[in-house]
Amino acid sequence: MLAFATLLLACVTSSSVTAAGAEVAIAVVVGKGRAPATPLSPALVVGIFARKRQLWSDRSPILPVNLPASHPLRRNFSRWVFDRTPEEMQDYWNDQYFHGVLPPPVLASEEAVLRFVASTPGAIGYVSTCAVDRRVDVLAIVQSPDGAAPCPR
Amino acid sequence: MGSVVRRLANLLPGMKLARWKQMNNEFAMSRRSRPSASARTAPSGRDSPWRPAAAEIWLVRLCIAMVVGLTATAVLAGEVADPDLPVAEHIPDSPPTGIRLAPGVTFSGYGTLQLLVPDRRSRSQSDSDDEDDESQFSRRARLDLSHLSGIVWWEPSPAWKVLGEVDLQDVVQVPRHVDDDNDGSDSSSFVALDRLYVDYHVTDSLSVRGGKFLTPIGRWNQEHSDPLVWTVLRPLISQSAFPTSATGLMVFGSVPVDARWVDYQIYAADGGEWRPDPHSQAFDRALGMRISTSLDRSLQFGFSLSRFGEEGDASTSFTLAGIDAAWSWHKVEFSGEAIVRHGSDGSPGNEDGWFGQAVVPVGERWWAVARVEAYRRAAVVSRSRTALIGLVYKSSAHWVFKAEWARASGSADGLPSGLLSSVTLVY
């Protein structure tokens, strides 16, 4: 009886994990008409948001912006791109601080990211694929290894 | 806002209430619509003969000061809270944002207070030793403001960066430590120029650095700042086998390879060290490289190779090879480095060594640290070993406490045994 209950619990847990694994994908965006000729590779997404890449191909500065660490989209972005939570990334940023490199600043909401990216040359941010509109171009799609869930209606 | 403050500032000395009313009306008018020059300067023709008492003037001044203060606070708060402007992130363990001295100029740094208590064995060994003790450990217990570091960087354009770090070492010591190298008349305090260089980003994968920089051998030497390392005591192989800084040129960058980044550094120096540290050797010449990468998201690996000569022994060339690795998972970290150094003229310059270090969380913000190190100098027959255990507390408010017990064995020339403790504040 106990073994059956354990097996049942394991099945329920497993199915719930799979269901929760697929989440809405994240779009890495720049202002309309400012997209580079080639889409960003996963390594370049890492490089830009880790501040290893600081110049666009025309030598203008790359200005990455983050969402707040508590924002669900930021947490997913950090896990999918860096395989670390925002808190676990702080060791890296503390190292960089002593080399004169500061982490990307934050904006409060996806709408703020869209407005800032749309109006600021060189700016790059990320929003839910469901929030993408005509103000921005999508450079890359970041999603969970479990796949992307459709936008909620 | 600035014009309002200037107006109020002009009003404060010897101001009459009537004049204040007149100006206040002008200000109210200017808020509604921009008045013409004549409107701003036309006399009201209604000056009151009433003169306020001194107490009333002071009361008005106080009110003005409060209004100005509150307005300024509100304006500043409004700027910070503007949802359309990006702001620096403040979460636990995030680095400080530095102090913005001017547009593009940022100041940061750290200070460290150390308490060093050598054990009896170490003291008795030192008392019988005629040579100067050049390790970071004193022969006697002491309290030491060991580092007061200031880092300034200036980014005049996206392609250029200038960075300088000045470190005031051993500024305050209790009891005062006398440096025998310095006629015995001065303490061992020293104003060190740790780094001073200019970076130019030729492309996003290629940058050129000129000036004084930390020698890119191993991980520890380039990240040796007290807030970044887990122990007060620095491993010997990170500082004894090579000069820790170089004055010259470096080409460096990061290149994406598949989904990973490979960082490279190639450097050359031709002597002429800027403000050399009197307690360590400087390069006479050097040519070296370092490559580091993440083999996966948790494992970092580096390889260093250098050929160099040291000042004072220019006829000898050394070839040094080193590897380093660090594996981290959540708050657990294992790291290690190993080096081999060969001298061109035979064994006297040969050295080799390694260390392994484990860091494990033992509380919300507490970590336990353990390290073992082995080091062999060709001039000394036997290999010296050091074991260290310690505790580290990392505050979310940018200070770090460390306490550790180190024990040296074998022919541990210059190696300390005893208690080492420090508090470091980052700013």
Side-chain angles (χ1 to χ4, degrees):
Chain A
M1 185 65 187
L2 183 61
F4 177 76
T6 307
L7 186 62
L8 185 65
L9 182 63
C11 289
V12 169
T13 307
S14 170
S15 62
S16 64
V17 165
T18 305
E23 298 185 59
V24 173
I26 297 173
V28 179
V29 295
V30 295
K32 195 73 180 173
R34 299 196 188 107
T38 54
L40 292 185
S41 66
L44 279 176
V45 175
V46 172
I48 286 174
F49 285 90
R51 306 289 316 271
K52 282 178 178 290
R53 273 284 182 269
Q54 301 200 18
L55 296 174
W56 293 110
S57 54
D58 63 358
R59 298 180 60 76
S60 62
I62 300 176
L63 305 173
V65 288
N66 261 328
L67 287 165
S70 58
H71 198 291
L73 210 63
R74 163 75 178 281
R75 303 197 76 77
N76 283 344
F77 184 80
S78 188
R79 281 193 294 117
W80 297 344
V81 171
F82 298 114
D83 203 20
R84 284 176 161 78
T85 65
E87 291 76 18
E88 289 167 345
M89 285 295 293
Q90 296 314 312
D91 281 346
Y92 171 79
W93 290 118
N94 277 300
D95 289 352
Q96 295 300 306
Y97 180 68
F98 289 94
H99 297 284
V101 178
L102 297 175
V106 294
L107 282 160
S109 66
E110 289 180 78
E111 176 56 27
V113 170
L114 288 169
R115 282 201 297 263
F116 181 76
V117 164
S119 62
T120 310
I124 182 170
Y126 53 87
V127 294
S128 160
T129 49
C130 309
V132 172
D133 60 22
R134 288 187 293 178
R135 291 173 289 180
V136 294
D137 283 335
V138 176
L139 293 189
I141 299 290
V142 180
Q143 64 182 38
S144 160
D146 299 316
C151 294
R153 301 187 176 211
Chain B
M1 181 65 200
S3 63
V4 176
V5 173
R6 281 196 298 275
R7 280 185 187 204
L8 293 176
N10 290 336
L11 288 173
L12 285 175
M15 182 189 63
K16 291 183 180 178
L17 189 59
R19 178 62 181 151
W20 158 241
K21 284 179 179 175
Q22 176 193 342
M23 294 299 289
N24 200 26
N25 287 339
E26 289 176 13
F27 172 60
M29 190 162 47
S30 71
R31 290 292 297 269
R32 288 192 295 270
S33 63
R34 183 176 290 275
S36 65
S38 59
R40 287 201 302 273
T41 56
S44 68
R46 288 187 292 170
D47 280 348
S48 167
W50 174 76
R51 288 175 177 276
E56 290 169 317
I57 293 174
W58 279 109
L59 185 62
V60 171
R61 289 178 181 177
L62 181 64
C63 290
I64 292 169
M66 288 177 64
V67 168
V68 171
L70 290 173
T71 306
T73 304
V75 168
L76 290 174
E79 286 176 359
V80 170
D82 188 337
D84 283 343
L85 288 177
V87 296
E89 184 159 64
H90 294 288
I91 61 173
D93 301 316
S94 60
T97 54
I99 300 166
R100 189 57 75 92
L101 299 177
V105 183
T106 308
F107 173 80
S108 69
Y110 65 92
T112 298
L113 186 66
Q114 287 184 347
L115 174 65
L116 309 172
V117 185
D119 65 10
R120 288 180 185 174
R121 174 180 165 275
S122 192
R123 281 195 295 259
S124 59
Q125 190 178 46
S126 295
D127 289 343
S128 60
D129 189 357
D130 290 334
E131 294 183 14
D132 294 331
D133 181 3
E134 293 183 353
S135 72
Q136 69 188 86
F137 219 49
S138 170
R139 299 172 186 184
R140 295 177 296 169
R142 75 168 188 265
L143 194 64
D144 185 1
L145 183 56
S146 57
H147 295 285
L148 200 54
S149 170
I151 305 168
V152 177
W153 68 88
W154 176 41
E155 295 171 287
S157 78
W160 291 90
K161 176 190 260 183
V162 181
L163 188 145
E165 179 178 5
V166 173
D167 186 13
L168 281 66
Q169 298 175 352
D170 305 325
V171 184
V172 178
Q173 292 179 321
V174 180
R176 191 176 175 85
H177 174 72
V178 175
D179 187 353
D180 296 334
D181 285 347
N182 229 351
D183 305 331
S185 58
D186 198 0
S187 75
S188 62
S189 59
F190 180 65
V191 180
L193 179 65
D194 274 3
R195 296 178 285 173
L196 180 61
Y197 56 72
V198 180
D199 284 351
Y200 177 66
H201 300 295
V202 181
T203 70
D204 218 8
S205 302
L206 174 69
S207 298
V208 177
R209 174 171 296 171
K212 183 174 181 177
F213 46 83
L214 300 171
T215 310
I217 294 178
R219 286 182 80 222
W220 195 292
N221 189 49
Q222 291 194 95
E223 298 175 2
H224 73 270
S225 301
D226 288 338
L228 300 180
V229 297
W230 289 101
T231 60
V232 181
L233 184 63
R234 185 172 171 165
L236 266 181
I237 70 162
S238 74
Q239 59 182 339
S240 288
F242 56 90
T244 54
S245 59
T247 300
L249 283 175
M250 181 196 291
V251 176
F252 67 101
S254 301
V255 181
V257 178
D258 291 333
R260 314 191 199 297
W261 285 84
V262 176
D263 300 329
Y264 68 91
Q265 295 163 295
I266 302 169
Y267 59 96
D270 190 24
E273 176 84 345
W274 293 352
R275 193 164 176 79
D277 186 335
H279 295 296
S280 66
Q281 293 281 8
F283 280 122
D284 176 71
R285 61 196 177 280
L287 179 64
M289 54 81 73
R290 172 174 163 76
I291 292 176
S292 60
T293 189
S294 298
L295 297 181
D296 65 34
R297 297 283 162 82
S298 305
L299 179 60
Q300 295 180 330
F301 176 82
F303 172 71
S304 309
L305 187 64
S306 184
R307 186 168 177 79
F308 61 91
E310 293 180 334
E311 280 187 353
D313 187 15
S315 61
T316 305
S317 288
F318 297 104
T319 302
L320 182 149
I323 56 169
D324 55 271
W327 179 79
S328 58
W329 183 73
H330 293 285
K331 293 182 171 181
V332 178
E333 181 189 294
F334 294 97
S335 60
E337 297 187 20
I339 58 119
V340 178
R341 187 180 96 161
H342 280 287
S344 60
D345 57 350
S347 60
N350 292 359
E351 297 184 8
D352 61 77
W354 60 270
F355 76 83
Q357 179 176 280
V359 180
V360 179
V362 292
E364 178 64 25
R365 306 196 68 83
W366 288 89
W367 283 262
V369 185
R371 186 172 73 220
V372 290
E373 178 179 14
Y375 197 73
R376 183 183 63 84
R377 289 189 175 105
V380 181
V381 176
S382 63
R383 181 179 291 268
S384 64
R385 293 183 184 277
T386 304
L388 176 153
I389 55 170
L391 276 176
V392 176
Y393 176 82
K394 288 192 170 184
S395 161
S396 61
H398 305 130
W399 61 269
V400 183
F401 167 77
K402 300 170 194 166
E404 65 208 35
W405 181 263
R407 185 66 193 257
S409 62
S411 56
D413 181 28
L415 286 175
S417 287
L419 172 72
L420 302 91
S421 180
S422 74
V423 176
T424 299
L425 176 68
V426 187
Y427 43 84

